[in-house]
Amino acid sequence: MARRTTPKVSEARELFLLKVRGQTQSRIAVNQYSSVVRRFELRVNNCQVGSLTPEHVEDFFFGSGRSLNSTCGPTTLGAYKTRLKSFLRFCHRRGWLTMSPDVMLEEIRAKTRANRNRYRMTRAELRTLLDVATDPRDRALAAFVANTGVRISEAIGLTVRDVSFPKGELYVTLYKTREEVTLPMSSDLERELRVWLTAYTAEVGELQPGYRLFPPHFPSRFQKGKFTTQQPLRLNPEGRISNPRVIIQALAKSAGIELEPGDGWHTLRRSFGRILYEDARAHGHDDALRLTQAALNHARAETTERYLGLDLERQRYEAMVKGKPFLTADLDPGKIVTLDERRAGRG
């Protein structure tokens, strides 16, 4: 029986991207998937999908030459693994790839778990981060992410109309799915936003619904190699912050918080998730993980567990065993005789 010919990686890539475009309206997300699979295609010389092996995948990530490991940090490696796994799953479901994506990625899984032990701030550290902010916009932006756990791209895309003080609600468009979700507004965040919007109004006048909630500054103007003014930069209500990473790095430095390479706004998102999870457990919620998963808008609980840096099975094991009887758990305490009592009975 003749072996069925499978498409080349480039052909499978085009079909895969059609599927991705149908699932999301985000051009950024489509381009990210396209970039990863395109690099993989070049690395494997655009071979047939059916001939791909785990060795191809390992070489793509950690092989000699310009592999991903030589050009990307651990966080990017983790993101690339997730996107490549989606492509391999697409091929596997169509019968082009005999091995499952899990088998294909087994050798590199441990090497690319970038979020497992990433830094997470305490409540006190988050408050310090806000207190050191000299720009009210930066403080409000940090407070927003720390109180909601949204991605920074979602936060800087918000407009004034996305905040409803009467209802205590926030309306956020998710980066990955383009779905608008409603988030609750904590009292802490309400206070921070009211202070910020008051300062915002004082600078630009009456706020229009379409103004950015967290606008950028107009660029500095130069004249003959010097600044034209020493006044603070003016806000651009209709613009969009282009490099938010600079903001969080400056805040962390002022707060004395040392961020590792790759840490940034996502550190606040992870911190929010971990604090919410611990609070849910402390308040007796039966499924704190599911509650946190919903708050972070994750499709899978495994993603939430990785964000939180949790090993839930180990936690459950410790809670079940630590400080409690194990070999004697099935005995009636009234029937247990101490060694001294037994010796006294022999006399």
Side-chain angles (χ1 to χ4, degrees), residues 2-281:
R3 183 178 179 182
R4 184 166 68 102
T5 301
T6 59
K8 290 188 174 183
V9 174
S10 60
E11 298 168 338
R13 172 173 57 87
E14 292 301 323
L15 296 173
F16 171 67
L17 293 178
L18 284 175
K19 178 176 179 291
V20 173
R21 291 188 187 98
Q23 293 178 334
T24 177
Q25 298 177 1
S26 171
R27 291 181 59 188
I28 296 176
V30 174
N31 290 338
Q32 287 174 338
Y33 279 103
S34 177
S35 174
V36 172
V37 182
R38 175 63 176 164
R39 290 186 66 169
F40 182 66
E41 169 193 327
L42 295 175
R43 187 75 181 187
V44 300
N45 296 318
N46 195 24
C47 64
Q48 289 185 343
V49 174
S51 64
L52 292 174
T53 65
E55 287 72 25
H56 283 114
V57 177
E58 187 172 7
D59 176 70
F60 176 55
F61 282 91
F62 299 101
S64 59
R66 289 189 60 79
S67 64
L68 290 182
N69 188 47
S70 64
T71 59
C72 303
T75 301
T76 304
L77 284 177
Y80 271 39
K81 184 201 74 171
T82 300
R83 292 166 192 148
L84 183 62
K85 184 175 182 179
S86 295
F87 171 70
L88 296 176
R89 184 184 296 116
F90 174 83
C91 295
H92 180 64
R93 287 175 175 172
R94 281 151 184 78
W96 302 334
L97 192 64
T98 56
M99 292 186 182
S100 70
D102 289 331
V103 173
M104 296 287 288
L105 292 161
E106 186 174 2
E107 293 299 321
I108 66 165
R109 186 173 292 113
K111 299 179 182 178
T112 56
R113 284 183 177 176
N115 288 329
R116 183 67 68 180
N117 295 308
R118 299 300 296 274
Y119 185 58
R120 293 163 186 84
M121 297 183 189
T122 63
R123 277 189 167 98
E125 288 176 314
L126 290 172
R127 289 194 297 268
T128 300
L129 200 72
L130 303 187
D131 290 340
V132 300
T134 57
D135 187 325
R137 181 208 62 182
D138 295 350
R139 178 185 175 107
L141 179 57
F144 194 95
V145 177
N147 277 274
T148 62
V150 301
R151 298 173 180 85
I152 185 58
S153 59
E154 296 163 349
I156 63 177
L158 294 170
T159 58
V160 172
R161 68 163 61 92
D162 294 322
V163 178
S164 174
F165 288 117
K167 294 183 178 180
E169 295 177 345
L170 307 162
Y171 310 110
V172 179
T173 300
L174 300 181
Y175 163 74
K176 292 188 175 181
T177 63
R178 310 310 300 169
E179 173 191 5
E180 184 179 86
V181 297
T182 301
L183 301 181
M185 189 190 316
S186 69
S187 59
D188 293 335
L189 181 55
E190 179 181 355
R191 181 175 62 254
E192 295 288 349
L193 287 178
R194 287 188 182 278
V195 171
W196 158 236
L197 291 176
T198 299
Y200 192 2
T201 302
E203 177 167 342
V204 304
E206 182 180 355
L207 300 181
Q208 302 302 311
Y211 281 1
R212 294 290 184 187
L213 183 59
F214 305 109
H217 295 107
F218 282 108
S220 302
R221 293 184 178 182
F222 290 85
Q223 184 176 17
K224 295 182 180 180
K226 297 182 179 180
F227 285 111
T228 59
T229 178
Q230 295 297 321
Q231 297 300 316
L233 297 175
R234 295 184 300 114
L235 294 171
N236 176 10
E238 298 179 349
R240 182 184 174 98
I241 297 174
S242 60
N243 192 5
R245 182 171 175 78
V246 173
I247 299 173
I248 188 62
Q249 288 178 330
L251 291 177
K253 183 177 180 180
S254 298
I257 299 173
E258 185 175 352
L259 295 180
E260 298 179 1
D263 283 338
W265 287 105
H266 235 58
T267 303
L268 271 64
R269 178 168 162 82
R270 286 192 296 268
S271 303
F272 163 83
R274 186 59 183 261
I275 292 171
L276 182 65
Y277 171 78
E278 296 294 351
D279 281 359
R281 290 186 63 195

